[in-house]
Amino acid sequence: MKELLYIEIPTPDLQAVRDWLHHAWKAKVGQTRSTPDGLRWQEHFNPSTQESKIPEAELSVFVWSVQRTTYLKIFRWGKHPLAGEQQFVQQLVADVRSQFPQQYPDLPSIDLSEQSIFEALAPHYPKTVHFFQKMAKGEYDLNRVYWWEKRWRESVRNPQQPQQVIFEGAEAQKSRGAGEQGSRGAGEQRIREEYDLIYIGGALGSIHAAVMAQLGWKVLLVERLAFGRMNREWNISRAEFQSLIDLGLFTPAEFETIIAREYLDGFNKFFDGNNPPHLKSQVLHTPTVLNIALDSEKFLALCGEKLRQAGGEIWDETEFVRADIAPQQVTAQLRHLPTGEAKQVRGRLLVDAMGTASPIAWQLNGGRTFDSVCPTVGAVVSGFEAGAWDSDYGDVLNSHGDTSRGRQLIWELFPGEGEDLTIYLFHYHQVHPDNPGSLLEMYEDFFSILPEYRRCDPEKLEWKKPTFGYIPGHFSVGGRDRVVAFDRLVAIGDAASLQSPLVFTGFGSLVRNLSRLTTLLDVALKHDLLAAKHLEQIRAYQSNIAVTWLFSKGMMVPTGQILPPERVNAMLNTFFGLLAQEPPEVADTFIKDRFDWLTFNRLALKAALMNPRLIPWIWEQAGTGDLIRWLGSYFAFGASTLVSFVFAWLPGLLPRLQPRLERQFPGLWLRLLSFSYSITAGLGRRYRGWVKVDGKSAFSRSSVPTSLSSVQNS
């Protein structure tokens, strides 16, 4: 028996494929007979042949369904090729592609004035509506999913026409004047008191804002939702969270109170049923990767408490409308959603922490879409039957099948508090106007194929809340090819999106770089270095992560292309199988974005030797242009490594230069401090700190930002 063909037919309607094979499709050569799951093909069927006997040579065509898609294979029963078999196979593939083309469904237009979101979406996403109805705030959350996807699609499809939300100079006065005149009927807007920092976005923004408030700055946090409500859970390791403890934001005791679950080991395994033997990999164990599940609501509540205790304020259920930039201040125009009241607030600096959908990020980057995105959906559930999953373990990365409708679906499962499990389904996706990436399609997949992934009856589970979002990625060639700042404005987190993360979202990047970002911002505020040229120094770029975007490119099926279904899994098994053969600390270093230039090159070379087809595959999927572009990232990584080696003495010298240099040349001091971070944290290493100055507290403005007293090497 020999396998001749394996393809995906991108439709969840298995019966339609069977009916087409049985009744509509005709082979141009040979003869076919229907079987329950497909066809038998021979050059000539002998009527006297007994069905109970296997013929000397024939082709067996069969189809099956998994992951809401259909697959087809052809096997030859016989030792030698049959005359006409190649023509038969070629015809079948061509006709399948014509009859069942790859489709990218659009988001349905709905009118909620006379119906609920459940009624509007039920004809399109029946399982999604069914299970959201089981959640406590399902209607509200499904509205959020629809809103987020709609906004994302609009931003991708109209990249040259981003909404203008940042105004400056005369343009701001003219536009603001018209806006204020039009709003007087609803009541006069009052300018609220001034702040040093105005954060827009209360998830990642609350962490950053709490640190800055404890440094003594007057902070306002603006959040569109009720503060503390998350549509994504967060996982981290103890070693990584330690940076927040070192900064003084949390005590060790407080950290223990926000741990929902700490599991013993995490598994990484990709489906290899259709991979050749040398590309079948063992399970990669990562016991110290994302093994701490945080209670996100407790975590954010504690951040909010820290912020308020330090004199900060939080305005939740308040939407950002626009910002007007003046030489000495920024004015943010806001809207309180429950009442519709318009508000204005002034500050020295605006911080964009709105994430993927940030209109500020879109405007600053000329409407350029993100190069990649991970549409991610999931839920917090409980009620799994005994034996379905052991809550002492997590699934860090897992696939249970090959590509499905042009996507390699990947699961994550993290134990939470009590019997809770947080389950995610996502895929790496190349942003394309015809195929922006759909959350609702993913949710329909999630609810349909969850029993395939983890044996369970979804009807018997308790559905607590959904988790969803777009995790962006930017294919950076260098640290300056994306705008993250404007005069009196700077972006953090996913709104800055400077690289394509493999595992971490903006949360992981922010935690790794929090000391770096807050230290530099504190210096900028202290010396009023709030022009774009100074604020551009405040970024979480890591050249070692940026170089991995080609790897993430290999996990995507480009829009309009058809790949062998098993290819992405073969590539993933190549690399993760290689990591499984390495000492545990190598995998830990790589997945936590702390690998160095030598490690990257050694692993890349071993992967190429293990699977020589790896580079041609990536070339085919990325294209020559992106491959050349990636070489720029690779050489930038190498150059950064060389510069780091040459200037390894600088971080140790800066404390002695600080008093005079910062006082006389604050702009130069900011630049040197930023450069010092770029050759340490920018390569995944912790900044080498030094002792506190004058014994001042960890959050004295004259201590931490300039002495970096609490940041130590790991």
Side-chain angles (χ1 to χ4, degrees), residues 4-5 7 9 17-18 20-22 25 27 31-42 58-64 71-77 85 88-89 92-93 96:
L4 301 182
L5 180 70
I7 61 172
I9 305 176
V17 177
R18 286 175 178 158
W20 178 76
L21 286 172
H22 291 165
W25 187 74
Q31 296 178 328
T32 63
R33 289 184 180 179
S34 296
T35 65
D37 294 315
L39 300 171
R40 293 169 56 193
W41 179 89
Q42 291 182 7
E58 73 172 31
L59 302 186
S60 174
V61 181
F62 62 94
V63 295
W64 75 99
Y71 300 95
L72 179 148
K73 280 191 175 184
I74 301 178
F75 282 90
R76 181 203 306 133
W77 292 91
E85 75 173 30
F88 169 80
V89 171
L92 181 58
V93 171
V96 163

Side-chain angles (χ1 to χ4, degrees), residues 19 90 133 206 268 272 300 358 405 463 542 573 625:
D19 291 343
Q90 290 174 348
Q133 287 176 319
S206 66
N268 301 262
D272 57 13
L300 289 179
S358 167
R405 305 200 312 281
W463 296 90
Q542 291 182 230
N573 280 313

Side-chain angles (χ1 to χ4, degrees), residues 283 390 448 527:
V283 174
D390 187 335
S448 299
H527 300 288

Side-chain angles (χ1 to χ4, degrees), residues 55-305:
E56 292 185 4
E58 73 172 31
L59 302 186
S60 174
V61 181
F62 62 94
V63 295
W64 75 99
S65 179
V66 69
Q67 299 187 127
R68 285 190 75 224
T69 193
T70 303
Y71 300 95
L72 179 148
K73 280 191 175 184
I74 301 178
F75 282 90
R76 181 203 306 133
W77 292 91
K79 297 181 180 180
H80 306 290
L82 300 172
E85 75 173 30
Q86 186 174 3
Q87 183 179 351
F88 169 80
V89 171
Q90 290 174 348
Q91 180 202 345
L92 181 58
V93 171
D95 291 346
V96 163
R97 299 297 183 219
S98 176
Q99 182 68 24
F100 301 98
Q102 184 68 266
Q103 297 183 0
Y104 307 108
D106 207 348
L107 186 68
S109 297
I110 61 176
D111 181 4
L112 299 182
S113 61
E114 297 183 357
Q115 59 183 341
S116 70
I117 190 74
F118 292 144
E119 294 168 327
L121 294 183
H124 309 281
Y125 310 103
K127 283 188 176 292
T128 302
V129 168
H130 174 71
F131 286 103
F132 266 80
Q133 287 176 319
K134 293 176 176 287
M135 301 183 198
K137 297 183 179 180
E139 185 171 7
Y140 173 84
D141 287 325
L142 190 55
N143 266 297
R144 284 276 298 159
V145 176
Y146 182 87
W147 168 84
W148 203 338
E149 179 169 339
K150 186 173 187 294
R151 188 167 181 177
W152 171 260
R153 284 177 176 269
E154 289 172 351
S155 62
V156 171
R157 289 177 171 172
N158 300 288
Q160 301 306 317
Q161 301 174 7
Q163 176 188 3
Q164 185 174 4
V165 293
I166 302 299
F167 299 84
E168 62 175 334
E171 181 184 36
Q173 293 180 358
K174 180 179 178 181
S175 178
R176 184 172 64 248
E180 290 177 353
Q181 184 176 1
S183 66
R184 283 173 186 162
E188 196 74 26
Q189 298 183 45
R190 292 187 298 172
I191 302 293
R192 302 300 180 100
E193 60 181 311
E194 295 189 3
Y195 297 84
D196 293 307
L197 289 160
I198 303 171
Y199 285 81
I200 309 295
L204 296 181
S206 66
I207 308 170
H208 199 281
V211 174
M212 296 307 294
Q214 289 189 338
L215 288 171
W217 300 108
K218 190 173 184 180
V219 174
L220 171 66
L221 180 70
V222 178
E223 167 57 41
R224 190 178 189 277
L225 304 177
F227 180 72
R229 181 157 180 80
M230 281 283 293
N231 50 36
R232 184 174 175 86
E233 297 297 293
W234 285 328
N235 281 66
I236 200 167
S237 67
R238 284 187 176 272
E240 289 157 327
F241 195 92
Q242 185 64 38
S243 64
L244 301 184
I245 297 175
D246 290 342
L247 278 169
L249 184 58
F250 295 96
T251 66
E254 288 171 334
F255 174 48
E256 297 299 326
T257 67
I258 60 175
I259 295 177
R261 168 79 70 164
E262 183 173 7
Y263 62 75
L264 300 178
D265 196 1
F267 307 135
N268 301 262
K269 183 70 182 80
F270 301 96
F271 181 70
D272 57 13
N274 295 298
N275 292 165
H278 70 288
L279 295 183
K280 293 181 184 292
S281 68
Q282 57 186 304
V283 174
L284 170 63
H285 295 266
T286 51
T288 58
V289 172
L290 303 178
N291 63 309
I292 300 288
L294 299 180
D295 185 320
S296 61
E297 293 187 2
K298 286 184 181 179
F299 177 73
L300 289 179
L302 193 52
C303 286
E305 181 182 336

Side-chain angles (χ1 to χ4, degrees), residues 417-713:
E417 186 174 10
E419 296 182 354
D420 288 357
L421 295 175
T422 301
I423 306 175
Y424 300 105
L425 181 66
F426 71 96
H427 66 98
Y428 280 82
H429 181 68
Q430 181 181 5
V431 179
H432 191 284
D434 296 334
N435 183 22
S438 173
L439 293 179
L440 287 167
E441 281 292 322
M442 285 288 289
Y443 256 127
E444 198 69 8
D445 289 331
F446 176 84
F447 293 117
S448 299
I449 69 178
L450 179 61
E452 299 172 3
Y453 160 62
R454 193 54 55 204
R455 296 171 185 171
C456 64
D457 182 354
E459 296 293 344
K460 295 180 180 179
L461 299 178
E462 180 183 355
W463 296 90
K464 295 192 171 182
K465 73 173 185 177
T467 57
F468 57 89
Y470 287 101
I471 304 173
H474 180 72
F475 298 164
S476 300
V477 174
R480 302 292 169 179
D481 68 350
R482 185 169 178 84
V483 178
V484 300
F486 193 77
D487 290 346
R488 297 193 175 274
L489 187 154
V490 68
I492 63 170
D494 286 338
S497 186
L498 293 169
Q499 53 261 330
S500 178
L502 175 62
V503 174
F504 285 102
T505 62
F507 176 65
S509 177
L510 183 76
V511 170
R512 284 194 305 272
N513 290 281
L514 187 61
S515 175
R516 175 187 188 181
L517 295 172
T518 53
T519 294
L520 294 173
L521 182 56
D522 184 87
V523 172
L525 285 166
K526 190 190 323 183
H527 300 288
D528 205 32
L529 301 173
L530 303 180
K533 65 179 181 180
H534 300 300
L535 296 175
E536 280 285 345
Q537 308 293 322
I538 306 171
R539 53 177 65 217
Y541 177 78
Q542 291 182 230
S543 60
N544 66 329
I545 306 177
V547 78
T548 64
W549 69 257
L550 191 67
F551 183 74
S552 66
K553 189 88 172 181
M555 290 187 277
M556 305 174 198
V557 180
T559 298
Q561 289 191 27
I562 298 173
L563 300 179
E566 74 280 10
R567 176 175 294 179
V568 176
N569 275 325
M571 297 172 70
L572 290 168
N573 280 313
T574 297
F575 198 76
F576 278 79
L578 178 64
L579 289 177
Q581 299 171 16
E582 294 282 329
E585 58 269 17
V586 175
D588 188 82
T589 296
F590 186 87
I591 296 179
K592 291 180 179 177
D593 299 331
R594 292 189 285 108
F595 59 91
D596 58 26
W597 190 82
L598 289 176
T599 301
F600 176 82
N601 282 277
R602 182 176 64 82
L603 293 177
L605 182 59
K606 289 184 68 173
L609 292 174
M610 179 186 296
N611 182 7
R613 302 182 66 185
L614 192 61
I615 294 177
W617 285 348
I618 293 178
W619 194 335
E620 177 185 348
Q621 291 171 233
T624 302
D626 269 348
L627 197 60
I628 294 174
R629 182 182 172 193
W630 174 81
L631 289 175
S633 300
Y634 175 76
F635 291 135
F637 182 26
S640 297
T641 302
L642 179 60
V643 170
S644 176
F645 175 77
V646 172
F647 288 93
W649 48 268
L650 181 62
L653 177 63
L654 282 183
R656 295 193 290 272
L657 298 178
Q658 175 198 344
R660 181 176 178 181
L661 190 60
E662 183 178 7
R663 182 176 63 254
Q664 296 183 356
F665 307 102
L668 177 60
W669 169 249
L670 177 65
R671 184 172 294 275
L672 285 174
L673 198 56
S674 176
F675 175 72
S676 186
Y677 271 115
S678 72
I679 61 176
T680 51
L683 291 169
R685 300 197 296 267
R686 297 285 294 275
Y687 197 104
R688 181 179 295 278
W690 48 85
V691 298
K692 297 179 183 179
V693 175
D694 299 329
K696 295 185 179 179
S697 67
F699 279 101
S700 162
R701 192 180 301 172
S702 61
S703 169
V704 167
T706 50
S707 71
L708 306 172
S709 58
S710 60
V711 186
Q712 304 295 328
N713 268 336

